[in-house]
Amino acid sequence: MAYLLVMGALGLSVCFTLGWGLVRATRWLLGRLPGAGRKPARRSARRAPSRPKAPSRPRAAPRTRTRKAVPAKPPQEPWRLTRWLARRRSPLPLGLLVLLLYAGSRLAEYGMTFRPQAAPGEFHGLVSTLGWVAAILLALAGMNLLALWRCHRSGGDDRA
């Protein structure tokens, strides 16, 4: 009975995940249609009047020798792969979902060891595969967050 409950929950979760992926793919395809990328123009918000800057106090000259100031290089534009990865928003929720599935199936696998009957061999393989998929998706989600940070830090547009 426990096997049927666990496998039913896993089947339901897989169907949910596939349905979610189908919805995301459909939204992506609809966004690629001509005329779908147009958004209504936003009106600019009222801004508070800017205050004049206070005059700065002159600093005293340093007594020790200083190095010449090296002009700071402007940040480089992120690579195309980084911008592409920053646009993808799905790996984190999907990775967390698979991680929860892995945790639940691992707990069920542990509980099945105390039954008098042996668990099917495919179940152990399924649990192992879920663990690897969760690890890969969470690594991809970490790379996605780094790409978002890089595009935001450089001031680059992550939509290009």
Side-chain angles (χ1 to χ4, degrees):
M1 183 67 181
Y3 175 75
L4 291 176
L5 286 174
V6 169
M7 292 307 283
L10 284 174
L12 183 64
S13 299
V14 167
C15 288
F16 173 77
T17 304
L18 291 176
W20 179 69
L22 183 65
V23 166
R24 293 289 295 178
T26 305
R27 283 185 182 175
W28 178 78
L29 287 173
L30 290 176
R32 305 274 300 174
L33 290 175
R38 296 183 190 135
K39 293 182 181 177
R42 295 181 184 174
R43 294 186 181 194
S44 61
R46 291 185 183 177
R47 294 185 182 180
S50 59
R51 290 186 246 163
K53 291 185 179 180
S56 60
R57 291 184 282 171
R59 293 185 175 182
R63 295 181 184 169
T64 60
R65 290 184 1 196
T66 59
R67 296 181 184 177
K68 292 183 180 180
V70 177
K73 291 193 286 186
Q76 292 181 350
E77 184 177 334
W79 293 346
R80 186 180 301 169
L81 177 66
T82 305
R83 291 191 312 261
W84 178 84
L85 191 58
R87 286 190 307 243
R88 306 297 171 248
R89 306 246 188 251
S90 60
L92 186 59
L94 189 59
L96 292 175
L97 176 69
V98 174
L99 183 65
L100 287 173
L101 281 174
Y102 172 69
S105 58
R106 189 81 169 141
L107 185 64
E109 183 183 37
Y110 177 74
M112 285 183 182
T113 59
F114 296 107
R115 293 184 345 168
Q117 299 98 359
E122 295 84 22
F123 185 72
H124 299 295
L126 177 69
V127 172
S128 168
T129 303
L130 274 175
W132 280 107
V133 168
I136 290 169
L137 283 173
L138 290 175
L140 197 67
M143 288 178 10
N144 175 271
L145 290 174
L146 284 174
L148 279 171
W149 173 75
R150 170 70 171 105
C151 288
H152 177 72
R153 185 177 63 109
S154 69
D157 185 35
D158 62 348
R159 292 179 233 151

